[in-house]
Amino acid sequence: MEIKGSPIQSKLTVYQSAQAMGKNKDVVSPEKPEASTPQQDRVALSGRGRSIADAQRAMAAVPDVREAMVSQIRNDLQNGTYVVDNQKAAEGILRESMVNQAALL
C-alpha cells in the first residue's frame, strides 16, 4: 500500500536522496564547494561538567593504596610494636554501621 502526500514519505525521499549522494562521492554539487579541511566534532562542557571532569582527573591521580602507611603498619606488625587503639576501632565500626543503617532507610 502506498500513501501519497504523507510527511513520512517526503522525509523518506529526502533520506534516500541523501543516501544516494553519499554513495556517489565523485559527484560534487555546484551549491556547496568542497571543503579544504574535514569538519571535526566538538564538545562544549558546562561549568558544572568541567568541575566534574576536573574532580575525576584529581581522583584518578590519587593512589588507591597509601603505600607509606601500609609499609609502616607492616613494619610495626613484624617488629611486634603495632598497637591497636580499641576506642578508635569501635568508633569506626559504629560509624560504618550507622551509615549502612541510613542507606537502608
Side-chain angles (χ1 to χ4, degrees), residues 2 41 50 77 85 94:
E2 183 177 332
D41 293 336
R50 282 190 293 274
L77 285 170
D85 183 353
L94 289 173

Side-chain angles (χ1 to χ4, degrees), residues 23-45:
K23 289 180 183 175
N24 190 359
K25 293 188 184 241
D26 295 336
V27 176
V28 177
S29 72
E31 299 151 6
K32 290 185 178 180
E34 191 171 317
S36 61
T37 59
Q39 185 177 2
Q40 297 179 354
D41 293 336
R42 295 187 303 171
V43 175
L45 297 178

Side-chain angles (χ1 to χ4, degrees), residues 8-23:
I8 295 173
Q9 186 64 34
S10 65
K11 290 176 185 172
L12 181 60
T13 304
V14 170
Y15 176 75
Q16 288 171 337
S17 298
Q19 289 289 69
M21 288 179 66
K23 289 180 183 175

